[in-house]
Amino acid sequence: MRSRSWPRSSRGSPHSATDCELSTDCRCAAHGTRTCFSIGSMTRRSPSALPEMPSPPRFDLWPEALRSAERLRGTLVPCGPGLRGVGWPETPRVRLAALAPWLADGRIAVYLTAAWVWGAARGPGHPLRVSTRPGSRNTTVVPSGTRVHELRLSPSECARFGGFSVTTPLRTATDLLYDDERFGTRQRVAVRLLLPLIDGGIDALRAHLSERTRPKRPRALARLNGAREHEAHHAAERQPPFMR
């Protein structure tokens, strides 16, 4: 009997938990499909402490004709607004590389776009939301469909994969809870799916919100409690009647 072949990484070794960067191959509650964002190692160490992995090619730098040909062949597939190689599993590093044109000049993925990078949202949102680095200057034209923020981000609040950065799960959840934009189902689900990636989970996030005096903190805490109650309600609905 022939053994089953798995997707191979750029090093030529079978796809494994270490290739995934974040841990196991699991089924995402938001997508209903397998995804490589995960829970295990992220609850034990910070994203910035993850081992350095090879970065995918910059497909956005390929000639348009070549990209089109490879898409027709099926070797390039959509990844958010960008592309990824079909042999590259979706991980934060691969999703960030797909956002390369939007993250030029050191811009950082934030809010729902960051949640998508971590695998906590179905898509990166529209418009894409990025933040400039403190003291940085834009030397390239920002692509259309992008909202640029000027958030005060410390190095500890960002995780870097290859040449691109995203806010950490803790900072991403905090930003979503404080966001002045509508806090709807997508944002609520994103916060809930980010919790396993935060060391200490919901208790750590609640403590983080409570220890800092910021305007609209009561609203942020209420949103967090609402996200938890929303999950508990749906968990009860999913149980068989005799289990309730």
Side-chain angles (χ1 to χ4, degrees):
M1 181 181 294
R2 297 180 59 185
S3 62
R4 182 179 180 181
S5 64
W6 294 92
R8 292 182 172 269
S9 69
S10 62
R11 294 180 179 177
S13 59
H15 173 61
S16 65
T18 54
D19 292 324
C20 272
E21 295 179 330
L22 294 186
S23 73
T24 58
D25 182 10
C26 60
R27 187 166 293 275
C28 175
H31 302 86
T33 57
R34 292 198 310 177
T35 183
C36 292
F37 96 89
S38 70
I39 312 176
S41 61
M42 284 297 297
T43 59
R44 294 192 295 272
R45 56 181 175 173
S46 66
S48 59
L50 293 170
E52 186 70 16
M53 302 297 293
S55 295
R58 288 286 306 274
F59 299 115
D60 60 296
L61 299 179
W62 288 13
E64 178 62 32
L66 179 58
R67 290 202 304 271
S68 298
E70 294 304 312
R71 291 194 67 176
L72 289 174
R73 290 180 58 191
T75 55
L76 291 182
V77 295
C79 184
L83 297 169
R84 67 174 174 87
V86 70
W88 289 84
E90 285 206 39
T91 64
R93 182 181 299 271
V94 172
R95 294 188 187 104
L96 277 176
L99 293 177
W102 294 268
L103 300 179
D105 294 325
R107 291 188 286 269
I108 303 164
V110 297
Y111 291 101
L112 194 64
T113 304
W116 173 75
V117 169
W118 290 113
R122 289 182 181 272
H126 184 79
L128 297 177
R129 300 179 73 176
V130 301
S131 175
T132 58
R133 290 186 180 275
S136 65
R137 296 179 60 186
N138 286 329
T139 60
T140 60
V141 177
V142 179
S144 61
T146 309
R147 182 176 175 183
V148 181
H149 301 266
E150 295 182 356
L151 302 181
R152 298 175 60 182
L153 297 170
S154 67
S156 64
E157 293 176 314
C158 299
R160 191 170 180 84
F161 296 93
F164 307 104
S165 297
V166 58
T167 48
T168 63
L170 177 61
R171 177 62 196 242
T172 303
T174 301
D175 287 340
L176 288 172
L177 292 170
Y178 273 107
D179 194 8
D180 288 331
E181 299 291 326
R182 177 178 176 270
F183 190 75
T185 301
R186 289 191 302 169
Q187 291 78 9
R188 187 163 50 244
V189 170
V191 169
R192 194 169 71 239
L193 293 178
L194 285 167
L195 291 177
L197 306 182
I198 299 172
D199 189 13
I202 191 170
D203 292 333
L205 178 55
R206 183 179 288 108
H208 180 73
L209 296 176
S210 300
E211 69 187 11
R212 298 187 177 188
T213 302
R214 287 181 56 178
K216 303 177 183 178
R217 182 175 62 180
R219 186 184 69 177
L221 288 168
R223 285 177 169 180
L224 177 60
N225 293 332
R228 187 175 185 179
E229 292 169 1
H230 184 267
E231 168 60 15
H233 173 72
H234 283 271
E237 288 184 341
R238 290 192 295 266
Q239 290 181 344
F242 61 86
M243 294 290 291
R244 295 177 187 171

